[in-house]
């Protein structure tokens, strides 16, 4: 009998059940309760209680899928942004990078409460992901600051839990306001930009030859560009995810491909599941004792940075560059999320609020590209640069 509960199908069922519970609660509460947050908490609790093995993602057969699904998904999301829109997201990049430096400035407020080394280690990790975490924890260990290194590890492990609810909350507010305006006026709302006069648009190459873009053809095209992004990432040293986003936007803007090509291929669901597999394993390393030992320092780090970001991008005029307090605050929180959590949050907001394709498009344009670009600008680039400056200061 035991063999039946130690099979790939059983572990896959457990993983999908946790994702499904989060999905149900997210839709039932109209994203007031984040499905991403619920799913991650279920995994964390199950890991801590020993209910599931720490390598459940591997046992479920999702590890290999997770390794290559990220580039597929980023390219697909890139096809929803044309080149002009990508360039137009410079405001998002500036806002996101500025949010990182707000966190850096808040380090001086943390130091009296948790210590200089702990604050220096934590700040780049709040800004980013695993690369910044590795840089700072290794530097702290080399200098003998073991508690600072431990704090950095826990900050990385729990930051997505604390970033998810607020990014979801402000994104949800923005989505509801945009959809309410559309339902009232029938006019597609924009952020601080006057709607352009509609002109007749000729059918794209894809629209003229849609019948040739079957599921396997679309997946094959996506696989090719994922490979190109991978090669460019290795050759240039710039993350392959950034190349995938750029390639998706450039090729998508030509009209050669459908927007959101994975959705067109009816494969978006399994890829959403796979990218979860990329972030779940880190939760297996957290123990209750770790959280209890460092809970005070963790609270100080996230309370101070949270207040600082809210003050600058919601209360003060830091939001004006993006034209919305909600969007600016959500973008500022994306540095805590790490891809794919920012994508998953934007996607669940779309599913919870939109009732038709037009509304889905409005929310997608309002949030998805900004959350994705913000994540890449902070986690992939800025956090590593900041870590490079902070490490020698320990």
């Amino acid at each position: 009998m035991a063999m039946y509960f130690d099979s790939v199908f059983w572990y896959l069922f457990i993983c999908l059940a946790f994702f499904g519970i989060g999905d149900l609660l997210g839709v039932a509460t109209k994203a007031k309760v984040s499905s991403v947050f619920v799913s991650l908490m279920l995994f964390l609790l199950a890991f801590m209680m020993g209910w599931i093995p720490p390598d459940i993602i591997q046992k479920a057969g999702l590890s290999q899928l997770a390794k290559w699904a990220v580039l597929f998904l980023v390219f697909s999301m890139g096809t929803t942004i044309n080149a002009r829109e990508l360039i137009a997201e410079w405001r998002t990049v500036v806002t996101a990078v500025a949010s990182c430096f707000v966190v850096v400035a808040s380090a001086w407020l943390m130091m009296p409460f948790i210590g200089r080394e702990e604050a220096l280690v934590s700040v780049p990790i709040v800004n980013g992901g695993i690369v910044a975490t590795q840089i700072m924890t290794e530097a702290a260990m080399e200098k003998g600051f073991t508690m600072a290194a431990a704090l950095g590890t826990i900050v990385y492990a729990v930051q997505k839990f604390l970033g998810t609810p607020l990014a979801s909350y402000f994104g949800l507010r923005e989505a509801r306001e945009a959809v309410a305006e559309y339902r009232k006026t029938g006019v597609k709302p924009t952020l601080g930009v006057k709607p352009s006069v509609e002109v007749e648009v000729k059918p794209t190459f894809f629209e003229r030859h849609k019948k040739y873009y079957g599921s396997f053809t679309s997946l094959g095209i996506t696989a090719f560009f994922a490979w190109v992004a991978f090669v460019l990432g290795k050759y240039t040293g710039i993350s392959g995810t950034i190349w995938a986003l750029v390639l998706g936007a450039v090729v998508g803007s030509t009209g050669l491909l459908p927007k959101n090509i994975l959705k067109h291929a009816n494969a978006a669901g399994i890829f959403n599941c796979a990218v979860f597999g990329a972030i779940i394993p880190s939760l297996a390393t957290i123990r209750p004792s770790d959280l209890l030992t460092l809970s005070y320092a963790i609270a100080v780090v996230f309370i101070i940075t949270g207040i600082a970001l809210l003050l600058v991008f919601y209360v003060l005029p830091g939001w004006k560059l993006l034209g919305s307090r909600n969007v600016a605050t959500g973008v500022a929180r994306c540095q805590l999320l790490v891809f794919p959590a920012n994508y998953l949050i934007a996607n669940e907001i779309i599913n919870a609020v939109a009732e038709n394709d037009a509304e889905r498009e409005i929310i997608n344009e309002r949030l998805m590209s900004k959350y994705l670009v913000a994540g890449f600008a902070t986690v992939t680039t800025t956090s590593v640069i900041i870590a490079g400056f902070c490490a020698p200061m320990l």
Side-chain angles (χ1 to χ4, degrees), residues 89-143:
E89 290 297 345
W90 69 267
R91 292 179 175 83
T92 301
V93 174
V94 172
T95 301
V97 172
S99 73
C100 287
F101 285 99
V102 169
V103 172
V104 171
S106 69
W108 302 104
L109 298 176
M110 301 178 203
M111 289 181 184
F113 298 99
I114 64 175
R116 178 179 178 275
E117 291 74 23
E118 284 76 4
L120 285 174
V121 168
S122 299
V123 162
I125 298 173
V126 172
N127 289 153
I130 189 63
V131 177
T133 303
Q134 289 174 334
I135 292 172
M136 296 311 301
T137 54
E138 287 178 6
M141 290 299 291
E142 287 176 3
K143 299 290 181 65

Side-chain angles (χ1 to χ4, degrees), residues 371-393:
Y371 273 28
L372 286 174
V373 170
F376 295 134
T378 55
V379 176
T380 309
T381 307
T382 308
S383 67
V384 178
I385 296 172
I386 292 173
F389 280 101
C390 289
M393 296 172 63

